[in-house]
Each structure stands twice: as C-alpha cells, then as structure tokens.
Amino acid sequence: MIDNQRPIGTGFTAASTAAAVLAGVDLTGRNMIVTGGHGRLGREVTRALASAGASVTVASRDATRARAAVASIPGVQVEKLDLTDPASVDAFAERWISSGRPLHALVNNAAMLNTPERSLDARGNEISFSTSHLGHFQLTRALLPALRQADGARVVNVTSGAARFGQIRWDDLAFSKDYNPGAAYGQSKRANVLFTVELDRRYADEGIRAFAAHPGVIIGPGPQDPNRLASYRAQGLVDENGATIIDPENGKKTIEQGAANLVFASASALLYGIGGVYLKDSDVAILDDEVRPLTADSIPSDANSAMLDPEDALRLWTLSERLLA
C-alpha cells in the first residue's frame, strides 16, 4: 500500500537551488559519496554538499578526469569506481569499509544516458541497467556496514520522470530483441525507484532511509551539440536560436536547480522519519496515476503507483541478487 507518497510542504519550489536548500545547514563531520560526482549535475551536488561542510568522496570510472573537475572544491576526494565491473565495486566498498568511516549519505548519481546502440557489460547486462541500477545495487549492499555505522544514513537514487513511462522487461532485461535507447533508459530509471522502495522497506528499522530523486530535465547552458539541436527543439528544450529554455515549473531546469532535489534528499532535516518515496522539486512528489502524454510543453514527472509497486520492488531485488550472484 502506498500511503506516504504525498508532499510534506517544505516551502521550496521548482526554482529553488541547491544553495537555497542547504542554507543554514551544517554538514560538518558527515561523510558522503557521490557516484559520477564530477560531471555537470554531479559536480554541483558535490560542490553544494562540500560547501555545507560535508566530506565528499567522488566515485568515478575516470579518476584522473574527476580529480581535475573537482580540484577547486575543498573537502573532496576522488576514488576509482566502475559500476559495470563487479570487482571494481567490491574494491571500492572494501576500501571504504576498511577506513572505518561511517557513511551518512550515498548518492547513486552516475548513469548512462540514451546509448544509441545496444551495449552490454562483461556479464551480458544492458549497459544503462548495469550502470544505473545493478552497479548501484551492488555498491549499496556492500556499503551497508558503513551506512549502519552512521546511525541515520540516506541512500539517494537519482532517477528521472522517465520512471513514469519506463517498463521492466522482466523476460528480456538486456533487450536482446527490439532495442530502443529510450526504453532502456526508462527501464533503468524505473529500476532506481523500485530499488528505493525495497531498500527502505528492508533497512528503515536500522536507520537507513532511501529516496528516489528526480532532478528535472537539464541540458546545460550550451552551446549544444549541433547533432542534438533538432531533438532538443522538438522537446521544447531550446528555442529557434538554440538557446536553452529554462522553465522550472515545467521541469526544465538549470544545473543549480536540478541539484537542489538531490541535496534535499541527501541532507534535509525535513525528511526525518520519511523514506521509500520519490522526490521532486525538493519535496515528496504527488501521486498521479493519470496517463499524461509527453509533449514539448509538458513533461510529466510526478510519481505513479506503478513505479512504487512493492511487489515489483521485491521482484526486482530478487532478480538483481541473481544477476550479481
């Protein structure tokens, strides 16, 4: 039964920034991990959390590139992590556990976006699902001792409004037939929310709460890739001159606005006692089961019952365990 998916009245809006959400918040002494925390949205999350006093570890497949990207942000370290490589995930987690540090927030942010051609990891898993879900599933479970040690930890799974439309292809997760990049991305984002639901159910009593956080649609200020301009125009993301359209009330956000919901999930005291929910615009999203089309003027991104279904959440957890066995 879905009974906690309703706004709590935080006072923040779609236009709120990460700085606004963390105003007056002191994260000194808190240890946090942000996967993919060096690129665009991830970097802003890293910067905001570190600016509030947190000790942030950026986990990146390309540690050299990541170090260069966050070199100017105090309180940040970088560790290598390839989410598609189980050995790399285990090694990262073992290093953290051996350090003895509690983990106050794990921000599972890294993702593979709309891969044009079907691609598989070394074990035959579709790359978007492998990166966004399976790698984070393995990482989170491996870090459970450190999360328990924090005595009040959060796991933030960065998802998307695509979770409303995404379907889990239970009999063909790897898209051996009829591969479609949008469908693969949607499946991975639906998985992020279902993982959140079951993770919170299992570990809330141990002080570990889970949140799925939608940042909004963010393409950055430009200049944009010329090959993407036609698609962006069709989606209402750029104007006729190629300038980025910022319209936070309709889900089209700046990087600073998009990062707000992620740092809200990671650190806001307003979420105390809550978990297993989908967040939007720095609040718990409404539950909306109406079928709403995606258009250039409307990007449906509220929660629906399908993405929060507890039976599907348990089924995905069990399947994920089998895929990683």
Side-chain angles (χ1 to χ4, degrees):
M1 180 177 179
I2 301 168
D3 58 5
N4 56 351
Q5 186 64 51
R6 55 182 180 274
I8 58 175
T10 64
F12 298 118
T13 70
S16 295
T17 63
V21 168
L22 291 179
V25 176
D26 184 4
L27 299 179
T28 303
R30 305 273 190 94
N31 300 314
M32 302 186 173
I33 294 172
V34 183
T35 67
H38 62 288
R40 299 198 341 127
L41 179 64
R43 185 183 186 280
E44 178 58 16
V45 172
T46 295
R47 186 206 63 76
L49 293 172
S51 295
S55 174
V56 182
T57 297
V58 169
S60 172
R61 183 171 53 185
D62 187 339
T64 300
R65 178 185 171 196
R67 289 189 183 98
V70 301
S72 63
I73 308 175
V76 177
Q77 58 183 321
V78 175
E79 291 278 350
K80 183 174 178 59
L81 170 67
D82 183 347
L83 288 162
T84 67
D85 179 358
S88 177
V89 175
D90 283 343
F92 177 93
E94 287 168 7
R95 291 194 300 272
W96 185 281
I97 298 299
S98 67
S99 75
R101 289 172 291 172
L103 178 57
H104 299 88
L106 170 60
V107 185
N108 290 325
N109 167 73
M112 190 71 68
L113 302 177
N114 293 327
T115 307
E117 302 294 330
R118 178 175 178 261
S119 180
L120 306 178
D121 68 12
R123 297 203 293 185
N125 299 301
E126 191 277 322
I127 202 70
S128 295
F129 188 79
S130 176
T131 304
S132 294
H133 172 63
L134 276 181
H136 285 135
F137 179 84
Q138 179 186 355
L139 178 66
T140 302
R141 293 201 306 157
L143 288 170
L144 281 172
L147 290 164
R148 292 189 183 101
Q149 189 181 346
D151 192 25
R154 297 184 183 183
V155 177
V156 181
N157 295 314
V158 181
T159 185
S160 163
R164 278 184 69 92
F165 309 100
Q167 302 289 328
I168 306 295
R169 292 182 41 152
W170 300 106
D171 297 323
D172 188 17
L173 290 171
F175 285 83
S176 62
K177 299 178 181 177
D178 303 319
Y179 175 75
N180 177 281
Y185 177 72
Q187 173 175 258
S188 71
K189 297 294 101 178
R190 172 68 67 89
N192 293 150
V193 185
L194 293 173
F195 173 40
T196 298
V197 171
E198 181 64 10
L199 180 67
D200 193 81
R201 186 191 72 80
R202 287 174 179 249
Y203 298 109
D205 288 346
E206 298 183 44
I208 301 169
R209 304 312 302 258
F211 302 93
H214 168 49
V217 180
I218 303 159
I219 63 170
Q224 306 298 341
D225 181 346
N227 295 322
R228 293 179 176 264
L229 280 176
S231 173
Y232 284 166
R233 285 196 187 97
Q235 297 174 68
L237 301 177
V238 300
D239 63 20
E240 287 303 313
N241 298 316
T244 302
I245 295 173
I246 302 301
D247 183 8
E249 292 297 331
N250 287 304
K252 304 167 187 178
K253 299 190 178 188
T254 66
I255 291 172
E256 293 80 8
Q257 291 167 343
N261 198 34
L262 278 55
V263 301
F264 171 73
S266 304
S268 178
L270 296 172
L271 288 171
Y272 180 78
I274 298 172
V277 294
Y278 170 90
L279 306 177
K280 173 187 172 183
D281 298 338
S282 303
D283 203 339
V284 180
I286 65 170
L287 188 64
D288 174 22
D289 284 339
E290 291 293 324
V291 177
R292 303 187 186 279
L294 177 65
T295 69
D297 298 320
S298 175
I299 305 174
S301 58
D302 287 313
N304 64 14
S305 297
M307 70 166 75
L308 297 162
D309 183 86
E311 292 183 2
D312 278 357
L314 176 57
R315 183 180 182 184
L316 179 66
W317 186 286
T318 302
L319 178 58
S320 301
E321 287 181 323
R322 188 165 73 245
L323 290 171
L324 290 171

